Amino acid sequence: MIRFEGVSKVFHSKGREVAAVQDVSLSVKKGEIFGVIGFSGAGKSTLLRLVNLLERPTSGSVIVNDQENHSLSEKDLRKMRQRIGMIFQTFNLFNSRTVFGNVAYPLKLAKVPKQEINRKVTELLHFVGLADKANYFPEQLSGGQKQRVGIARALATSPDILICDEATSALDPETTNDILNLLKKVNKEYNITILLITHEMQVIRNICDRVAVMENGRVIEEGSVFDIFTNPQTKTTKNFISSVLNDKLSPQLFEKLHSNKSSHLYRLIFTGEETSKPLLSNIAKSFQVDVNILYGNISELQEVLFGNLIVELQGEKEEVAKAVTQLKQYVEVREVTSDAS
Ligand SMILES: Nc1ncnc2c1ncn2[C@@H]1O[C@H](COP(=O)(O)OP(=O)(O)OP(=O)(O)O)[C@@H](O)[C@H]1O
Ligand SMILES: [Mg+2]
């Protein structure tokens, strides 16, 4: 649906070169919600703007619906842009137009007949839950309501792709969840492929199917949300995950436990049905070990349960080793060797 093939974008400003996007290859499949996460300046917005050619690649190709977008004629480019809706962190609404007028705007530009505009805008305002606010102006709306208008406007030309630049970053946590649920509904009911960028791992966890992590213009890690959460490879990804799971020991607690020779620390990763087995009480009964749970979290990722525990096993080395061997038959066991692991 969207393919980046070896894409780079270099900006020249004030005699300096900024490589905002460097050799990115990614592919977003039809019907999925794909998230790109990264810190400020990682190149996320630039990557997104390459999709609808608000930026042109310095090298490489961006292929949307099997068409290489930078070789399109002006006319085909206009058509292509109608197939891609975009929403923004700051909503970008026209303050002088009503809610109805904002949503109708792209249809007017596309010279859609008035009756059809009325029908479509009414349908969309119902869809986003703003049917009663058609005659309001943006300044009379809350942030969440403004973003609903932004979403309705992005859907007006019946796009098959929606790209979202930090769509929830200006919103409080509860409103963020409402908007994320609305984006899920857009994805399911209209079968629209969504590419979103964010710096919040919460957003990725809540709605994405797959995720890419960007740093300094490059994609440093990519995979299903489940795989990335259960088996992150890079320090940056681990930090993003910790921001939502809070799954690390404090340096002080780690030092205290680590200096005790009969204390052995392990992280246990459970998935699916393993989350409901009494594994820890079994090892405590079978071996000469005491089990202390230091951290525990079970969350749902893409409808599969994922458990993440840090446990302290106390006992003689041999007994602990036997207990670990037994645990490994059921769950993934990683030794915790630093406060970052
Ligand atoms: N038009 C431009 N001219 C020059 N440099 C630019 C331009 N647009 C972006 N950059 C630079 O490219 C890099 C990536 O910027 P980009 O906006 O894509 O990052 P981002 O990941 O979206 O960050 P944020 O989370 O802050 O929005 C930054 O160093 C930025 O200063
Ligand atoms: Mg940005």
Side-chain angles (χ1 to χ4, degrees):
M1 189 100 208
I2 306 172
R3 267 193 354 260
F4 298 90
E5 290 182 353
V7 178
S8 297
K9 174 71 191 182
V10 180
F11 290 109
H12 298 269
S13 76
K14 297 178 194 146
R16 271 192 335 124
E17 277 196 354
V18 183
V21 171
Q22 299 188 59
D23 195 23
V24 167
S25 295
L26 276 182
S27 94
V28 179
K29 295 179 205 149
K30 187 169 166 49
E32 76 177 342
I33 305 185
F34 193 100
V36 176
I37 188 162
F39 294 116
S40 183
K44 306 178 300 289
S45 295
T46 307
L47 186 77
L48 207 64
R49 291 162 61 83
L50 288 161
V51 176
N52 54 4
L53 229 60
L54 291 174
E55 301 289 355
R56 281 181 179 268
T58 309
S59 59
S61 323
V62 182
I63 296 155
V64 179
N65 287 335
D66 294 326
Q67 286 183 309
E68 189 168 10
N69 66 5
H70 66 269
S71 48
L72 295 177
S73 65
E74 270 307 308
K75 187 166 154 246
D76 286 341
L77 182 58
R78 259 200 310 278
K79 261 199 212 145
M80 188 267 295
R81 285 203 176 120
Q82 288 186 357
R83 317 294 315 145
I84 304 175
M86 184 163 185
I87 56 175
F88 307 86
Q89 176 174 1
T90 49
F91 323 121
N92 289 15
L93 302 179
F94 297 112
N95 287 326
S96 58
R97 291 174 201 261
T98 61
V99 166
F100 187 99
N102 269 280
V103 180
Y105 183 76
L107 296 169
K108 276 193 181 153
L109 274 190
K111 303 206 165 55
V112 172
K114 204 164 171 204
Q115 224 177 355
E116 174 58 15
I117 293 183
N118 284 342
R119 192 198 63 76
K120 186 78 190 180
V121 175
T122 307
E123 173 200 316
L124 287 170
L125 290 181
H126 264 284
F127 182 79
V128 300
L130 288 180
D132 56 338
K133 303 268 186 298
N135 297 319
Y136 281 49
F137 285 90
E139 62 180 24
Q140 297 170 297
L141 302 177
S142 69
Q145 289 168 337
K146 284 182 197 166
Q147 195 56 293
R148 286 171 187 272
V149 179
I151 292 171
R153 182 181 60 183
L155 298 180
T157 52
S158 306
D160 27 42
I161 296 172
L162 183 64
I163 56 181
C164 313
D165 190 343
E166 302 277 3
T168 55
S169 299
L171 306 173
D172 62 58
E174 204 172 313
T175 315
T176 291
N177 277 337
D178 292 345
I179 294 296
L180 294 179
N181 285 334
L182 180 58
L183 289 176
K184 251 193 223 170
K185 193 169 126 186
V186 167
N187 171 252
K188 290 271 170 320
E189 291 185 21
Y190 287 116
N191 194 25
I192 292 178
T193 306
I194 298 181
L195 171 60
L196 64 84
I197 63 170
T198 180
H199 61 270
E200 294 172 309
M201 204 58 181
Q202 182 83 5
V203 171
I204 303 284
R205 176 174 69 175
N206 284 7
I207 64 165
C208 293
D209 299 307
R210 288 196 302 139
V211 58
V213 183
M214 263 186 108
E215 191 167 57
N216 299 326
R218 295 184 186 276
V219 170
I220 56 166
E221 200 162 345
E222 183 205 340
S224 75
V225 168
F226 192 83
D227 288 346
I228 294 284
F229 265 83
T230 52
N231 196 13
Q233 300 296 316
T234 63
K235 192 160 177 265
T236 302
T237 309
K238 286 179 186 166
N239 283 339
F240 274 122
I241 291 170
S242 295
S243 69
V244 282
L245 294 184
N246 193 20
D247 64 345
K248 285 183 187 161
L249 301 179
S250 70
Q252 294 82 351
L253 180 59
F254 175 77
E255 274 315 315
K256 192 170 150 220
L257 295 167
H258 198 60
S259 58
N260 175 355
K261 287 289 165 259
S262 66
S263 161
H264 306 267
L265 303 177
Y266 295 93
R267 182 187 295 279
L268 311 183
I269 305 285
F270 309 58
T271 54
E273 61 194 42
E274 307 302 350
T275 47
S276 60
K277 289 193 177 141
L279 300 171
L280 295 175
S281 65
N282 285 349
I283 61 161
K285 279 185 213 145
S286 308
F287 307 101
Q288 300 267 318
V289 292
D290 286 325
V291 182
N292 254 331
I293 298 180
L294 302 172
Y295 163 84
N297 176 293
I298 294 185
S299 45
E300 200 184 314
L301 289 172
Q302 298 179 290
E303 289 158 22
V304 180
L305 288 178
F306 158 55
N308 183 350
L309 296 185
I310 297 181
V311 295
E312 176 192 27
L313 302 184
Q314 280 183 344
E316 296 295 329
K317 233 177 169 175
E318 296 72 38
E319 287 297 299
V320 169
K322 283 188 221 160
V324 168
T325 306
Q326 173 155 327
L327 281 173
K328 279 186 174 165
Q329 293 177 12
Y330 303 99
V331 297
E332 198 177 322
V333 183
R334 298 181 200 148
E335 203 172 352
V336 177
T337 51
S338 73
D339 55 36
S341 58

